[in-house]
Every structure is written in structure tokens, then in C-alpha cells.
Amino acid sequence: EITVLRDGKKQVKKCTLHIFDWLVQRIDDRISTEHFVLGGFVFLPLNYWHVHGSFTAPDDVIAKRNLIPYVHDLEKEFEDQQIIIVSETVPNVTTTGYNVINFRLHTVNGTEVKNLKHLKQLCENTTGIAKFEFDYNTLVLIDMNVAMKNTAVVKEHLGISS
């Protein structure tokens, strides 16, 4: 409550403050290093630094420009919502022919991906061919049995334990 003076009279007004919960994390100590490796695809939650951090090549600017609309003034629709992207692909049988680095993952087998934990669950509960849909209606078909076998090799290549 706040007391204001209007036309010489005191009035008590109620104010509701809204805490804005950013969909994409800003640059601070809370930026997560969580990731999920499937075959040669490295998935992570989009963060502000990933888009506005250092660019290593001119192509990075082009590759990341499709992510810029996601990092400005968007609020979470639900508590643990994250935008999941592919940050890197390690060449192997799972990733051959696909170029989806810095693309947002929307669905797996038609189910909207809510966050990284949800992506892991979707992948762990899928066998056979899985359909991953990214930005620009880009569709990636992954043989989950092959991808799961390749994951350990890729993690070793990247120096990721477990």
C-alpha cells in the first residue's frame, strides 16, 4: 500500500509489483552450464551470453541472429521454461548432413520441449527413429538406438564426464 495526496486529501492505494522472470537468463552468476549430449548434438538452454557474447567468426553473427528475438523482453510462460538450442555438433553418423547449430529445438515427436530436463526424458523414452523439429521447419530424424550408442564416444571426445 502507498499513501498519496490528491486534491488535499490522503488516499491509500494498493500497488502490485510484478517480478519479471526472464525467459532467457541475463549475464550473471546464475547462468547454467547444464547441457545434454545426444549422439553428436550438444543441447543447452539459451542464455544471453550465448547470443551476445564473443563471435569467433563472421558466420557466427549470421548463425546467431535467429536467436536474438528470444533474448529480449520475453517472460516465462511457466516456472521451468527454457529455450533449448543446439550449441555444437560433433561429426559422426548421427549428425551427418545436418546443420542446426544455434537453431531452437521446438518439438520431439510432436511434443513441445519445455526445458532441458524434459528433452532428456523425451529422448530416454524414445526408441527407433525420433523426429526433432527446429527453427525454419527444419526436421532432423535421429535413430535413437544409434545416437545413444554414439553419445559416450562424443562425450569422451568433448571431455565430458558421464
Side-chain angles (χ1 to χ4, degrees):
E1 292 184 357
I2 186 169
T3 303
V4 295
L5 186 61
R6 299 271 180 192
D7 299 323
K9 297 178 185 175
K10 285 185 180 181
Q11 296 178 3
V12 176
K13 302 285 183 178
K14 288 191 175 191
C15 296
T16 304
L17 297 178
H18 178 73
I19 298 172
F20 200 83
D21 193 6
W22 297 104
L23 177 57
V24 175
Q25 291 177 323
R26 297 300 197 225
I27 300 173
D28 63 20
D29 293 333
R30 297 172 305 165
I31 289 180
S32 173
T33 58
E34 64 182 325
H35 60 275
F36 173 60
V37 178
L38 175 67
F41 297 100
V42 180
F43 295 94
L44 56 82
L46 179 62
N47 64 57
Y48 191 87
W49 176 251
H50 184 81
V51 175
H52 293 295
S54 63
F55 296 106
T56 56
D59 290 346
D60 283 352
V61 175
I62 295 167
K64 291 181 180 182
R65 78 172 167 215
N66 64 309
L67 299 175
I68 291 173
Y70 297 125
V71 300
H72 296 286
D73 302 329
L74 293 179
E75 188 172 9
K76 289 182 180 181
E77 294 175 16
F78 50 90
E79 178 64 29
D80 55 354
Q81 182 182 12
Q82 294 175 318
I83 293 176
I84 305 302
I85 63 165
V86 174
S87 67
E88 183 177 351
T89 56
V90 177
N92 68 49
V93 68
T94 307
T95 61
T96 299
Y98 294 118
N99 183 14
V100 290
I101 294 175
N102 294 316
F103 276 34
R104 178 183 182 179
L105 175 63
H106 293 277
T107 65
V108 174
N109 291 331
T111 301
E112 186 175 344
V113 177
K114 297 175 184 178
N115 52 44
L116 197 64
K117 181 180 178 182
H118 186 230
L119 172 61
K120 290 177 189 178
Q121 291 169 344
L122 290 171
C123 291
E124 288 168 358
N125 295 323
T126 302
T127 58
I129 303 297
K131 188 168 66 172
F132 289 68
E133 187 175 345
F134 293 89
D135 285 331
Y136 310 111
N137 294 317
T138 302
L139 193 62
V140 173
L141 301 176
I142 298 176
D143 183 329
M144 295 302 286
N145 300 323
V146 173
M148 293 299 205
K149 289 177 186 173
N150 286 338
T151 298
V153 174
V154 169
K155 283 183 170 183
E156 185 179 328
H157 173 77
L158 294 173
I160 298 172
S161 59
S162 67

